[in-house]
Amino acid sequence: MGKILEIKGVTKYFCEQQVLDELDFSLDEPKVLALVAPNGTGKTTLLNSIANIDQIDEGTIRVFDQPHTDYQLFYKMSYLQDSSILYGHLTGWDHLEFVRKEQGKSKEELQQLILDLDIGTYMKKKVKHYSLGMKQHLLLAIALINQPALLLMDEPLNGLDPDSIIKVRTIIRSLASKGVSMIISSHNLDEIEKVTDNVVFLYEGKLIEKEEVMIDAIEYTIVLKEVEKALSFLSRIDVTCTKLSDYKFVGTFSKQQFSVFRSFCKEQEIELFDCQVTHGQLETIYFNLYEKNSEAQYDI
Ligand SMILES: Nc1ncnc2c1ncn2[C@@H]1O[C@H](COP(=O)(O)OP(=O)(O)OP(=O)(O)O)[C@@H](O)[C@H]1O
């Protein structure tokens, strides 16, 4: 089997501003890939470029071994964009019927999709009367009509309530189990960690895989009786901590430091009342990558 996606040397400018910089990337096997970066750093531009909505200035993009400009990809690849592509004066059903006909799918297939996504109750309403969440569900339905093998999603969780987030997460997992590849841009790092381990960061116009910037550090908030004793021990094993109260502190631990600390508490009979992860690993990597370099990146 050929590659699902191959991006070589892609550069994209908006006037003088370079957004993508000789970006190389390839997706060799079906995967759910999270695309993470701060606002305004090129996630949408990259997805638009793959979908041939934004024209690239240099480089090549191939999808399923075809140039990304090939019209046939319309039947294999979908792109869940933001709701600006919807027409307010049309109903959800109008949108879905139009795409169904273009994709050559049957009415029965569309009815089944509407049932699966549980969006039937508002398909006859005009889109201008939809909530943000309803629009997001409609966009997902539009993107799924062609049963894509590659699905690009730009912020699919935007505006969704917790129930809807769980529903979309279930849909993503179910599609993944059927071998659908997905590239999902999201700011919701907690949620992203629940659907995939495959994370790429867009940084200074290039993609960096999570493994390349992996750090062994997790921030915990810990509640115990003898904070001073714990902090004095932790300073000796180089754990950075901040005391929050006489019973509470936060500390950033490597796996090994955390295990040493647990043994210390056991030996000293210090009871841990509570121990919560404050920042997950992905969040910690994110802050390390972008916050540390923010001065250089956002120089004005
Ligand atoms: N059509 C355009 N014309 C000019 N500049 C643009 C255009 N589209 C995007 N940009 C600029 O390119 C940069 C990247 O924008 P893009 O929308 O790709 O970022 P993003 O990471 O998707 O942001 P967000 O997370 O806020 O959606 C921004 O500085 C933006 O202002």
Side-chain angles (χ1 to χ4, degrees), residues 147-240:
Q147 298 164 336
L150 174 62
L151 176 56
L152 311 175
M153 295 196 250
D154 198 4
E155 297 287 346
L157 306 174
N158 243 0
L160 297 186
D161 62 25
D163 269 0
S164 304
I165 288 183
I166 292 170
K167 210 164 98 182
V168 172
R169 192 197 306 156
T170 310
I171 292 166
I172 290 173
R173 285 185 179 151
S174 152
L175 291 169
S177 72
K178 292 176 191 153
V180 177
S181 292
M182 281 163 268
I183 304 181
I184 308 172
S185 92
S186 180
H187 293 116
N188 191 334
L189 300 182
D190 277 351
E191 211 32 63
I192 276 297
E193 281 188 304
K194 289 183 188 143
V195 290
T196 185
D197 275 340
N198 303 310
V199 178
V200 286
F201 297 94
L202 186 56
Y203 181 70
E204 295 186 345
K206 291 194 165 68
L207 285 179
I208 308 178
E209 306 223 14
K210 185 172 99 178
E211 289 64 31
E212 292 175 50
V213 279
M214 197 78 149
I215 45 165
D216 177 22
I218 292 185
E219 186 187 283
Y220 292 92
T221 302
I222 295 173
V223 181
L224 43 61
K225 219 172 179 179
E226 298 181 65
V227 165
E228 289 304 337
K229 198 168 176 181
L231 292 182
S232 141
F233 174 74
L234 290 171
S235 77
R236 292 202 297 275
I237 60 165
D238 292 328
V239 177
T240 312

Side-chain angles (χ1 to χ4, degrees), residues 60-91:
T60 56
I61 302 178
R62 293 180 71 79
V63 183
F64 300 115
D65 287 331
Q66 292 162 287
H68 73 307
T69 48
D70 190 329
Y71 182 72
Q72 289 303 315
L73 289 172
F74 173 67
Y75 301 104
K76 291 188 200 165
M77 176 169 77
S78 272
Y79 183 16
L80 188 158
Q81 298 176 66
D82 69 44
S83 59
S84 61
I85 66 156
L86 299 174
Y87 294 90
H89 60 286
L90 297 180
T91 65

